[in-house]
């Protein structure tokens, strides 16, 4: 997906206020009724509809009037909220070129004030294979809708927590810098994904190092679950760095054995094909732990002494709730069956494009860095940063909105009158024919929202 951050420079405080209002409304609405957006945003001089029109023009929100008139955030809108927050926090000041397109993410270089380059990973769950299996997923079947933004946020949160924990335990991973919404900021790895590497000085040593990582992870109670040539970076000195952690599971997972063996298989197959290591006997044969001709034996999960509990502890420390963890696990687990390591031939067509793009991306930021923030804005914004996060949506359930709020009714009536007047004037209003029946709101809920919104 193209990420054009130019518009970010021209968006006003009100634009962000309304965008955040849509995000907040999505906590319990798939499509947020226009009236609710207006109520949450509570712009001093009205004008929510005008702002929504502007957001629509920039493709930051999507308009839907199939059931009632409403809006939802687009991925771009969500990107902007995350980027704005991270810029406000001083994590980076400019967004550069895209350096990677993962299965379910877009990766960009970003620069901070002193010119150093970091990596921003925007999670996009549901973009590819997951979308196809959505209808088959048990836990989604019970919902009328599912919020991909919520899942992407969980993926980012989990990835950030793991990256941090793994780094603290001495694993070769990028340095986890910050995280907001579906976005993780980390250090740039100066290297290539292993899939792009045609030659190694000592493939055996690299192979051993990589397998050693799998074993060490298991000793820490973890299985990567997507441990393959796309998620292992290698630099000029043949130093290995692991990336991509949202799908990791504990060794106590009921399918742990299968995931572990699959990770091992991916590495065996890749090294056997690409670097002609003679590992054939041990491929697809987890029971064969005899030494191969390279002198190594295939790691076996049951013979690794593990410290179970690491995963739960680290995730809990990061604020990742049990429920979020379960949601994420269910989602990832079903997706995992579709995500297998490559048999090179099968993948070649699809990967070429990515490889070309990735190789191109290895140059550092060029002159096209987009400065996304004016100095005059910065001081004020730095003082306040919005932490708005999507929580789990609850489909069509609007029970939270029940109650009698005279103030709201008054405002809604006023709004309707304005909308009718606009229609009479022949102007096209964003309020639709199928007006949403808002049932009021709780004032405590409102004041919490107001507090959060005032930070934009
Ligand atoms: P996905 O979860 O979508 O597979 P990844 O985290 O694997 O995303 O990243 C996709 C690609 O982006 C990687 O193959 C790599 O080329 C690039 N990439 C990701 N993280 C970094 C990083 N920290 N430094 C350099 N390149 C990176
Ligand atoms: Mg990956």
């Amino acid at each position: 997906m193209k990420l054009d951050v130019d518009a970010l420079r021209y968006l006003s405080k009100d634009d962000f206020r309304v965008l955040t209002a849509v995000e907040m409304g999505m906590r319990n609405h798939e499509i947020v009724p226009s009236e609710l957006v207006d109520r949450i945003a509570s712009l001093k001089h009205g004008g929510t509809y005008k702002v929504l029109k502007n957001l629509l023009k920039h493709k930051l929100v999507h308009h839907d009037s199939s059931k009632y008139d409403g809006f939802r955030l687009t991925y771009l809108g969500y990107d902007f909220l995350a980027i704005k927050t991270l810029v406000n926090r001083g994590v980076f000041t400019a967004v550069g070129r895209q350096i990677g397109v993962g299965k379910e993410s877009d990766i960009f270089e970003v620069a901070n004030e002193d010119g150093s380059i970091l990596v921003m990973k925007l999670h996009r769950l549901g973009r590819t294979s997951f979308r196809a299996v959505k209808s088959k997923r048990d836990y989604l079947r019970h919902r009328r809708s599912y919020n991909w933004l919520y899942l992407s946020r969980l993926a980012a949160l989990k990835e950030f927590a793991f990256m941090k924990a793994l780094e603290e335990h001495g694993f070769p991973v990028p340095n986890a810098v910050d995280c907001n919404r579906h976005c993780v900021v980390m250090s740039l790895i100066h290297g290539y994904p292993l899939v792009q590497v045609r030659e190694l000085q000592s493939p055996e040593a690299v192979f051993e190092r990589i397998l050693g990582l799998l074993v060490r992870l298991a000793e820490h109670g973890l299985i990567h679950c997507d441990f393959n040539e796309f998620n292992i970076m290698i630099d000029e000195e043949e130093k290995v760095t692991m990336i991509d952690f949202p799908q990791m599971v504990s060794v106590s997972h009921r399918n742990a054995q299968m995931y572990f063996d699959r990770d091992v298989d991916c590495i065996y197959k890749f090294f056997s094909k690409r670097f002609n290591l003679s590992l054939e006997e041990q491929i697809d044969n987890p029971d064969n732990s005899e030494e191969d001709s390279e002198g190594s034996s295939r790691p076996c999960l049951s013979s690794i002494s593990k410290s179970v509990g690491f995963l739960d502890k680290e995730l809990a420390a990061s604020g990742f709730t049990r429920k979020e963890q379960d949601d994420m696990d269910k989602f990832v687990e079903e997706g995992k069956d579709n995500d297998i390591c490559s048999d090179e031939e099968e993948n070649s067509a699809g990967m070429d494009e990515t490889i070309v793009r990735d190789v191109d991306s290895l140059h550092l930021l060029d002159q096209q860095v987009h400065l996304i923030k004016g100095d005059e804005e910065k001081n004020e914004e730095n003082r306040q940063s919005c932490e708005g996060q999507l929580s789990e949506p609850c489909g069509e359930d609007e029970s939270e909105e029940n109650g009698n709020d005279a103030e709201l009714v008054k405002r809604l009536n006023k709004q309707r009158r304005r909308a009718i007047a606009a229609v009479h004037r022949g102007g096209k209003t964003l309020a639709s024919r199928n007006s949403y029946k808002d049932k009021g709101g709780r004032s405590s809920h409102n004041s919490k929202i107001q507090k959060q919104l005032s930070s934009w």
Side-chain angles (χ1 to χ4, degrees):
M1 197 187 85
K2 194 171 177 302
L3 174 66
D4 183 359
V5 289
D6 269 357
L8 202 52
R9 277 184 289 185
Y10 307 110
L11 293 182
S12 66
K13 261 183 174 279
D14 281 357
D15 289 326
F16 274 105
R17 204 178 156 90
V18 173
L19 198 58
T20 310
V22 176
E23 180 188 35
M24 286 176 167
M26 284 180 74
R27 286 179 176 181
N28 41 23
H29 295 79
E30 188 191 358
I31 303 292
V32 190
S34 313
E35 290 90 341
L36 188 59
V37 178
D38 185 52
R39 180 158 61 89
I40 298 173
S42 293
L43 293 189
K44 274 201 193 95
H45 309 292
T48 301
Y49 291 122
K50 207 171 134 216
V51 173
L52 279 168
K53 243 180 179 165
N54 190 37
L55 299 178
L56 204 55
K57 190 180 93 191
H58 290 295
K59 298 192 167 58
L60 303 176
V61 292
H62 172 80
H63 182 220
D64 185 311
S65 57
S66 51
K67 286 188 202 151
Y68 50 78
D69 190 64
F71 293 84
R72 65 167 168 76
L73 276 186
T74 59
Y75 258 122
L76 189 63
Y78 205 36
D79 293 349
F80 271 34
L81 287 172
I83 292 171
K84 172 91 168 162
T85 301
L86 290 162
V87 169
N88 286 354
R89 281 187 200 160
V91 177
F92 58 83
T93 50
V95 176
R97 70 166 77 182
Q98 182 158 9
I99 61 165
V101 187
K103 278 196 306 286
E104 288 177 303
S105 70
D106 286 317
I107 322 273
F108 295 86
E109 283 174 329
V110 291
N112 62 20
E113 222 132 51
D114 64 18
S116 46
I117 308 298
L118 297 167
V119 166
M120 167 175 80
K121 176 169 176 177
L122 295 165
H123 284 265
R124 309 222 185 274
L125 263 67
R127 177 165 75 179
T128 54
S129 55
F130 286 133
R131 195 173 287 153
V133 295
K134 179 183 170 190
S135 57
K136 300 194 198 92
R137 286 169 194 271
D138 256 2
Y139 79 117
L140 293 177
R141 222 180 277 155
H142 306 301
R143 300 169 184 278
R144 272 186 259 176
S145 60
Y146 207 82
N147 194 326
W148 298 108
L149 301 184
Y150 166 67
L151 284 170
S152 296
R153 179 174 74 79
L154 291 193
L157 196 57
K158 184 171 174 186
E159 174 146 58
F160 183 73
F162 272 94
M163 213 185 296
K164 235 181 156 43
L166 290 171
E167 188 188 5
E168 279 159 17
H169 286 80
F171 282 89
V173 295
N175 168 243
V177 176
D178 206 345
C179 171
N180 181 260
R181 296 177 172 87
H182 61 321
C183 173
V184 178
V185 180
M186 63 187 110
S187 62
L188 175 74
I189 302 301
H190 295 275
Y192 307 81
L194 189 57
V195 69
Q196 293 177 17
V197 177
R198 298 279 149 196
E199 247 175 72
L200 285 171
Q201 277 184 343
S202 44
E204 295 84 4
V206 175
F207 172 75
E208 287 301 330
R209 222 171 294 146
I210 290 173
L211 272 193
L213 281 176
L214 265 183
V215 173
R216 245 179 86 206
L217 278 176
E219 285 167 356
H220 281 76
L222 295 172
I223 299 170
H224 188 285
C225 289
D226 202 9
F227 201 73
N228 56 46
E229 61 275 25
F230 301 100
N231 293 327
I232 295 167
M233 307 276 293
I234 191 142
D235 71 7
E236 300 290 340
E237 266 94 55
E238 306 198 343
K239 185 176 162 279
V240 168
T241 307
M242 301 187 278
I243 56 167
D244 204 357
F245 316 105
Q247 65 291 318
M248 284 181 103
V249 299
S250 160
V251 285
S252 58
H253 190 283
R254 66 194 150 77
N255 294 324
Q257 180 79 52
M258 187 268 283
Y259 293 139
F260 182 82
D261 289 338
R262 202 172 64 183
D263 278 356
V264 174
D265 261 355
C266 283
I267 302 304
Y268 267 74
K269 277 185 182 151
F270 180 75
F271 273 84
S272 147
K273 277 192 182 153
R274 178 73 59 95
F275 303 110
N276 298 319
L277 300 196
S278 23
L279 304 160
E280 272 80 12
E281 309 113 65
Q282 297 193 35
I283 293 176
D284 287 329
N285 189 3
D287 298 331
N288 185 353
S289 53
E290 307 230 320
E291 285 204 352
D292 57 34
S293 50
E294 305 295 333
S296 63
S297 62
R298 186 185 159 112
C300 171
L301 188 61
S302 55
S303 53
I304 297 172
S305 71
K306 308 162 228 27
S307 61
V308 181
F310 172 86
L311 174 121
D312 290 347
K313 228 170 56 212
E314 299 291 346
L315 271 184
S318 74
F320 204 70
T321 65
R322 185 78 238 175
K323 164 99 180 52
E324 288 174 331
Q325 198 172 325
D326 287 349
D327 275 359
M328 188 68 205
D329 284 353
K330 277 185 221 152
F331 183 76
V332 168
E333 205 174 306
E334 289 166 47
K336 269 200 229 99
D337 302 333
N338 303 307
D339 304 341
I340 37 170
C341 57
S342 78
D343 278 333
E344 285 174 63
E345 291 72 22
E346 282 171 29
N347 256 308
S348 57
M351 277 314 295
D352 277 354
E353 205 188 335
T354 316
I355 290 170
V356 169
R357 227 172 320 189
D358 283 352
V359 169
D360 176 47
S361 71
L362 287 165
H363 307 288
L364 287 186
L365 278 182
D366 57 14
Q367 298 309 309
Q368 298 157 2
V369 168
H370 304 280
L371 288 169
I372 56 179
K373 191 166 157 168
D375 279 338
E376 70 288 353
E377 274 183 288
K378 207 184 300 175
N379 292 339
E380 190 185 359
E381 284 167 1
N382 270 341
R383 269 187 277 125
Q384 313 160 326
S385 99
C386 176
E387 289 289 339
Q389 287 180 334
L390 285 168
S391 52
E392 189 200 8
C394 45
E396 305 286 312
D397 181 10
E398 289 159 15
S399 55
E400 260 212 352
E401 306 298 328
N402 281 326
N404 223 344
D405 189 334
E407 174 62 29
L408 170 72
V409 173
K410 227 165 88 187
R411 213 179 306 152
L412 283 177
N413 283 339
K414 200 168 144 200
Q415 215 175 319
R416 278 193 196 109
R417 279 199 300 276
R418 271 208 310 267
I420 291 165
V423 170
H424 284 311
R425 282 197 307 271
K428 211 171 167 211
T429 168
L430 287 168
S432 94
R433 312 142 294 206
N434 319 322
S435 188
Y436 160 75
K437 292 190 188 65
D438 199 316
K439 300 166 202 143
R442 290 191 310 212
S443 53
S444 64
H445 180 61
N446 283 351
S447 67
K448 201 168 127 210
I449 289 169
Q450 287 313 322
K451 223 160 100 192
Q452 220 169 18
L453 280 173
S454 64
S455 62
W456 283 122

